[in-house]
Amino acid sequence: MSTDPRRRIPRTDALLADPRVAAAAAVVGKARVKEVVLGAQQRARAGEIGPDAVADAVVAGLPRSAASLRPVLNATGVVLHTNLGRAPLSDAARDALVTAAGTTDVELDLATGGRGRRGAGAMAALADAVPDAGGVHVTNNGAAALILAATALAGPGREIVIARGEMVEIGDGFRLPELLESTGARLREVGTTNRVRVDDYAAAVGPDTGMILKVHPSNFVVQGFTSSVPAGDLTGLGVPVVADIGSGLLAPHPLLPDEPDAASELRAGVPLVTASGDKLLGGPQAGLLLGEADLVHRVRRHPLARALRVDKLTLAALEATLRGPVPPVRAMLEADVDALRARARTVAAAVGGEAVDCVAQVGGGGAPGVDLPSAGVALPAEYAEALRAGEEPVVGRVEHGRCVLDLRSVLPGDDERLVAAVRAAAARQDPPS
């Protein structure tokens, strides 16, 4: 009489006691490990694997961390890729996150033992980075900075004057008009889709006007028969002017001559500027408010500010970005094209690809229409899917029937990881024809 092979399936407690499994439980939690154990046992009961293979199947199926997010190599050539988390943080910012993860003096004055200003170090770093700002404040993202300003300066029953051509839609279908109207304010559109003048704004300003808003279109360019009004030219109309520059460029950059920056707006007399921290600044997701001290204080003390405040992790990463070495975004943006070509030749030789010239983008709503000359490695198109499915995923782009790995969005120190990922992808699929 034969014995049912399912009786040989290892017991749950025995599998959990396996040193390899026990070590994983300490990292990802016993509950998650037990799910993997039960799944492997069920596969054995269904005859998909033998009883002797259950332990190895459990080990193979264990997650590396308690979080589901996975590190990805961005070879798309889009420096600020929203779907990949926009700005990769610098090593200094990552170290700051680890420090901030413990108990910190985020809102404590250690000298007096009393309450201190939340994130005083980060606020000081931001103020130092933008000396033209009389006051600074930080929210949890760029949209939050704008909605806080709109609520504090306009809010229910008052008007926000805005050019019709700046009523934009941002990522994931969020429309700026709907965002602003959620504050209870009314929008007063001026001008036409392609042209607006100072007189249009002046005619719209009245006793119900809470603020004038200038919005950088971010992800598109209007060309041809167009005109717009710089935010600085609107400051004499008797109401606060808010310039939402979006991309977080704090000072002019020679590679992005048409991209608005905070310093230039403030020097032009704009009372309040809002921007994002995880774009061209190269820091964590955050909303920046920079401007006249009394106006920033008014916004910062609004009750909504409490709901939109940043946590200690963001404050730590932001300060380290501002105080520390050049962040990856800036290094990618300023990468030398000849150096990119040399790297492309080396990587291509290592993986059997072709070194090619290509064109990268800033992304993240920054510098629309600006092309960044770049270089990369071209592989057969089927590599795109294989690379995404790898142990360390790589995201490239498919163009002209090829998978192109653009090196402008890959730091030089990651080239060896990229080579290993491509070789692993090649080993998992049939040799390309």
Side-chain angles (χ1 to χ4, degrees):
M1 185 174 178
S2 60
T3 302
D4 188 336
R6 289 176 296 183
R7 293 181 177 274
R8 296 191 292 109
I9 296 174
R11 292 174 17 163
T12 301
D13 57 353
L15 290 167
L16 291 174
D18 185 309
R20 299 171 298 172
V21 179
V27 175
V28 304
K30 188 174 180 179
R32 182 69 186 94
V33 168
K34 191 172 182 179
E35 289 179 10
V36 177
V37 167
L38 296 177
Q41 290 172 324
Q42 185 55 42
R43 290 178 61 196
R45 294 187 188 100
E48 297 176 14
I49 58 176
D52 295 338
V54 171
D56 288 339
V58 170
V59 173
L62 290 171
R64 290 185 172 183
S65 72
S68 61
L69 291 177
R70 299 174 61 187
V72 174
L73 280 175
N74 175 16
T76 64
V78 179
V79 174
L80 295 167
H81 200 300
T82 298
N83 301 129
L84 297 177
R86 291 184 182 160
L89 296 180
S90 65
D91 289 342
R94 295 185 189 199
D95 290 342
L97 285 173
V98 174
T99 299
T103 305
T104 67
D105 59 341
V106 64
E107 210 165 335
L108 178 70
D109 185 333
L110 290 173
T112 66
R115 187 179 187 129
R117 184 182 178 186
R118 185 175 183 84
M123 300 304 168
L126 184 57
D128 289 345
V130 192
D132 295 286
V136 300
H137 183 61
V138 180
T139 62
N140 55 8
N141 64 27
L146 178 56
I147 203 169
L148 177 58
T151 303
L153 302 180
R158 306 203 72 194
E159 288 185 345
I160 298 173
V161 177
I162 181 172
R164 181 167 286 112
E166 295 173 10
M167 305 278 274
V168 300
E169 178 176 302
I170 57 179
D172 199 26
F174 287 98
R175 295 182 171 181
L176 183 65
E178 296 170 358
L179 182 72
L180 295 170
E181 288 170 344
S182 71
T183 69
R186 302 190 307 273
L187 301 186
R188 180 77 177 270
E189 300 178 36
V190 297
T192 63
T193 302
N194 59 320
R195 294 179 71 82
V196 64
R197 302 176 179 86
V198 173
D199 291 346
D200 295 320
Y201 288 95
V205 171
D208 290 335
T209 304
M211 60 182 260
I212 295 173
L213 176 62
K214 278 288 299 179
V215 178
H216 179 48
S218 294
N219 53 6
F220 70 95
V221 176
V222 179
Q223 296 178 322
F225 188 61
T226 66
S227 67
S228 61
V229 182
D233 292 353
L234 301 172
T235 57
L237 299 180
V239 295
V241 177
V242 178
D244 179 29
I245 63 171
S247 67
L249 193 62
L250 298 187
H253 195 289
L255 292 178
L256 308 172
D258 297 324
E259 187 72 7
D261 66 275
S264 296
E265 297 289 348
L266 293 169
R267 289 171 189 166
V270 177
L272 190 63
V273 174
T274 63
S276 294
D278 59 343
K279 295 183 180 180
L280 289 173
L281 176 59
Q285 177 177 293
L288 313 180
L289 293 109
L290 314 158
E292 296 177 358
D294 58 342
L295 207 57
V296 172
H297 179 76
R298 178 179 166 187
V299 171
R300 184 171 68 85
R301 297 309 300 170
H302 191 279
L304 182 61
R306 174 77 178 191
L308 302 177
R309 75 178 189 176
V310 290
D311 70 335
K312 60 182 181 178
L313 301 179
T314 300
L315 290 167
L318 178 61
E319 181 178 359
T321 300
L322 292 164
R323 299 281 195 204
V326 172
V329 165
R330 186 171 156 192
M332 293 172 181
L333 184 66
E334 299 174 353
D336 178 73
V337 178
D338 288 336
L340 291 173
R341 288 175 176 141
R343 289 172 55 200
R345 290 192 293 270
T346 299
V347 173
V351 300
E354 177 188 358
V356 296
D357 284 347
C358 52
V359 177
Q361 305 291 329
V362 174
V370 173
D371 291 336
L372 301 173
S374 189
V377 177
L379 300 165
E382 57 266 26
Y383 270 76
E385 182 177 355
L387 286 167
R388 293 196 308 272
E391 185 72 17
E392 179 167 31
V394 176
V395 181
R397 66 176 186 264
V398 176
E399 58 184 23
H400 307 303
R402 301 183 298 181
C403 172
V404 175
L405 305 179
D406 192 319
L407 295 184
R408 183 172 285 275
S409 55
V410 179
L411 292 172
D414 290 332
D415 285 355
E416 290 186 5
R417 293 168 56 200
L418 181 63
V419 168
V422 174
R423 287 173 173 170
R428 290 193 308 270
Q429 62 182 3
D430 294 331
S433 58

